[in-house]
Amino acid sequence: MTNIQFAKRLQPLQSNVFADMDTAKAVALAAGREVIDLSLGSSDLPTEAHVIEAIAQSLGDRSTHGYLLFNGTLGFREAAANWYEQKFGIKVDPQTEVLPLIGSQEGTAHLPLAILNPGDFALLLDPGYPSHAGGVYLASGQIYPMPLLAENGFLPVFTDIPAPVLAQSRMMVLSYPHNPTAAIAPLSFFHEAVAFCQQHNLALVHDFPYVDLVFGESGDWGLGTGKQENFSLNPKSKIQNPKSLVPSILQADPEKSVSIEFFTLSKSYNMGGFRIGYAIGNAQLINALRQVKAAVDFNQYRGILNGAIAALTGPQAGVKSAVATFQGRRDAFISALHRIGWNVPTPQATMYIWAKLPSPWSENSIEFCTQLVKQTGVAASPGAGFGKSGEGYVRFALVHEPPLLETAVERMAEFLH
C-alpha cells in the first residue's frame, strides 16, 4: 500500500474533546450503562412551529432547489441586519457587512485562512471553544493562549501578552457569554479589547452564540461580583428587553473598525441541526471571509434561510421560553450539586455549568470524566479538553429536564463518595 504523507497541520487536530467523550460514551453503552449525556451543548428543545412551516413551504417551491449564490441571500442578510439594529441599536449594511454561514463554527474555523500567514499568531481564550484553535491550525498559524482565571472573572488580561508575540499577532478571538466557563463580559471590557486591537492592528473576532441565554433581572449582568453596567441599546427593540442583553462587540466598535461578530441560530432558536448562522461587522473582514467561503462551498438550501428569516423576524416567545427553561434547569442542577456538598457558583448565562473538580480529581479532568461515564453513565466534558487553563474543571451541559439532571447528580454523589 502506498505510504501517503499527510500535512503536519493535521497533527494538532487529532484530539477533540467531543470525539474523545463520544468514545467513552460508546464504551459505557456497550457495558449496558444508561447514559445521561451532559457532554454536548446541543439543545434538546424543539424549533418553533412557524420556523418549521417556513421551511416546509419552501420544499414545494422548485425555485428553491438549485444552487444559492450570494445575491440570493439578500433577504436573509437584511433580516440579520435588522435583528442587530433592533437588539443593539447598531446600523448594519446588509450588502457589505453581513455574510451567511453554515453555523458560527464555520466562520471561526475559516476566518484564520483569510487573516493569518504561516507562523502568524492568533490570541485565543484558554479555555476556549475547540474550533477556534482548529481554524488557526488549518491556517498554519500559531496560538497564544490567554489564560482565563476565576480571580479575573474569566476575562483575559491583555497586558500579560508578551511584546514579541504581539508583534507577530494578526487576530484576537473572544466569546462572551463564554463557553465553557459561562462567564459574561461588561461593555467596558469590550471597549478595552477594541482599543487594544486598534493599537496593535489586530482583527477582533467575537463568537456570540449565547447572546440570548442570559439569566437574572435587568441590570444584573456583572461578573458575579455585584458589578452592574447599563448598556446603550435601542429603546425601540421589539426582540427583547434591551436591559436584559449582554453587549455585542459592535457596541464598543460601532464604526466596525476592527471587529467581526459571529451569531448562530443554534442556541437562541434551537436550530442546531439546520446549520445556519452569520458573520456581521467590518466590511473588509466580511469580504475576505466570503472569498474563503467561495472556494469551499455554496450557501445552504434556500428553505433553511427562509426558516431563519422567520425566526429572526417572527414571534420571539420561543426565545423567552427557552431562556426560562434553561434557567430552571440551571437552578435545579446547582441546587442538587449543593445538596451533595459540591459548591459550584451559579452562572448568569449559557447552557453550561463550569464546576471546579474536588480532590482527588482536581488535576485530572479527563480521567474524572472517563471514570464518571464508565461507572455511572453520566457523561460530561473535561475542562482540559478546552485548553490548559481548563484543567481542574468539568463542564456540564443542561440539555435534559430537571428530574434527569437531579438523577445525574445523585449518581455523581455515589461516584464522589
Side-chain angles (χ1 to χ4, degrees):
M1 182 176 178
T2 304
N3 185 19
I4 299 174
Q5 300 295 313
F6 291 97
K8 293 179 180 179
R9 68 174 60 90
L10 287 182
Q11 293 175 1
L13 303 179
Q14 293 175 1
S15 178
N16 179 285
V17 62
F18 302 125
D20 292 346
M21 284 313 302
D22 257 358
T23 301
K25 286 181 284 186
V27 171
L29 286 168
R33 290 281 182 192
E34 177 197 11
V35 171
I36 302 176
D37 192 355
L38 309 181
S39 66
L40 189 63
S42 179
S43 176
D44 60 313
L45 303 181
T47 307
E48 288 292 291
H50 68 280
V51 175
I52 298 298
E53 179 62 23
I55 298 172
Q57 288 184 359
S58 302
L59 292 172
D61 181 356
R62 291 177 56 184
S63 70
T64 70
H65 296 178
Y67 289 125
L68 181 61
L69 301 181
F70 180 75
N71 286 336
T73 69
L74 179 59
F76 172 72
R77 287 182 277 125
E78 289 175 336
N82 289 336
W83 188 88
Y84 253 76
E85 183 172 358
Q86 290 178 11
K87 190 179 284 284
F88 299 115
I90 301 295
K91 197 73 176 175
V92 177
D93 183 353
Q95 291 284 6
T96 61
E97 296 177 339
V98 184
L99 183 68
L101 297 172
I102 307 172
S104 62
Q105 180 166 325
E106 183 225 341
T108 57
H110 279 158
L111 186 61
L113 293 169
I115 296 177
L116 301 179
N117 288 313
D120 286 344
F121 271 98
L123 310 174
L124 305 187
L125 301 180
D126 175 21
Y129 191 65
S131 78
H132 299 168
V136 175
Y137 290 133
L138 288 175
S140 299
Q142 300 186 74
I143 290 172
Y144 179 81
M146 299 184 291
L148 305 184
L149 306 178
E151 54 263 37
N152 296 326
F154 295 110
L155 299 176
V157 179
F158 300 139
T159 53
D160 288 346
I161 302 170
V165 170
L166 272 177
Q168 289 183 258
S169 297
R170 299 293 176 264
M171 63 186 292
M172 174 190 289
V173 181
L174 302 175
S175 183
Y176 292 96
H178 184 240
N179 178 13
T181 69
I184 62 176
L187 187 57
S188 56
F189 168 79
F190 287 122
H191 279 297
E192 181 186 352
V194 169
F196 184 85
C197 289
Q198 289 172 335
Q199 178 184 355
H200 296 285
N201 298 316
L202 304 175
L204 179 52
V205 182
H206 188 226
D207 197 8
F208 203 26
Y210 300 99
V211 52
D212 290 308
L213 292 187
V214 183
F215 317 119
E217 298 300 322
S218 62
D220 185 25
W221 309 117
L223 299 172
T225 59
K227 182 175 181 178
Q228 299 181 358
E229 183 154 344
N230 293 320
F231 301 140
S232 301
L233 302 184
N234 187 350
K236 297 181 180 180
S237 172
K238 298 177 182 178
I239 299 290
Q240 203 175 19
N241 180 357
K243 291 183 180 179
S244 69
L245 295 174
V246 293
S248 160
I249 197 70
L250 301 183
Q251 290 175 256
D253 187 14
E255 295 81 17
K256 309 178 192 74
S257 62
V258 294
S259 304
I260 185 171
E261 193 156 67
F262 295 109
F263 177 74
T264 174
L265 280 76
S266 297
K267 311 302 182 183
S268 298
Y269 299 98
N270 306 313
M271 294 180 68
F274 294 96
R275 309 311 306 133
I276 177 67
Y278 56 85
I280 196 162
N282 177 276
Q284 291 177 300
L285 291 172
I286 291 289
N287 186 60
L289 181 56
R290 181 182 168 189
Q291 289 177 278
V292 173
K293 274 185 64 68
V296 175
D297 61 67
F298 288 104
N299 294 287
Q300 298 92 318
Y301 168 55
R302 186 188 296 272
I304 301 297
L305 268 67
N306 289 341
I309 292 170
L312 294 172
T313 62
Q316 301 296 304
V319 179
K320 185 176 180 180
S321 175
V323 173
T325 295
F326 282 111
Q327 182 168 350
R329 293 177 180 185
R330 176 204 66 175
D331 293 344
F333 194 74
I334 289 290
S335 295
L337 288 176
H338 288 180
R339 285 197 297 271
I340 69 170
W342 195 347
N343 293 317
V344 175
T346 302
Q348 295 176 285
T350 78
M351 57 173 66
Y352 307 114
I353 304 297
W354 185 243
K356 193 169 181 62
L357 284 167
S359 179
W361 307 99
S362 56
E363 294 299 325
N364 200 341
S365 59
I366 294 176
E367 183 66 14
F368 171 85
C369 289
T370 301
Q371 291 302 317
L372 181 67
V373 72
K374 179 180 179 180
Q375 297 183 35
T376 72
V378 176
S381 292
F386 297 94
K388 182 180 178 181
S389 295
E391 183 57 278
Y393 289 85
V394 61
R395 192 199 74 176
F396 299 102
L398 302 173
V399 292
H400 295 289
E401 293 299 327
L404 198 55
L405 293 174
E406 290 168 348
T407 297
V409 175
E410 291 169 3
R411 293 187 189 180
M412 288 193 288
E414 298 176 7
F415 175 76
L416 291 170
H417 297 100

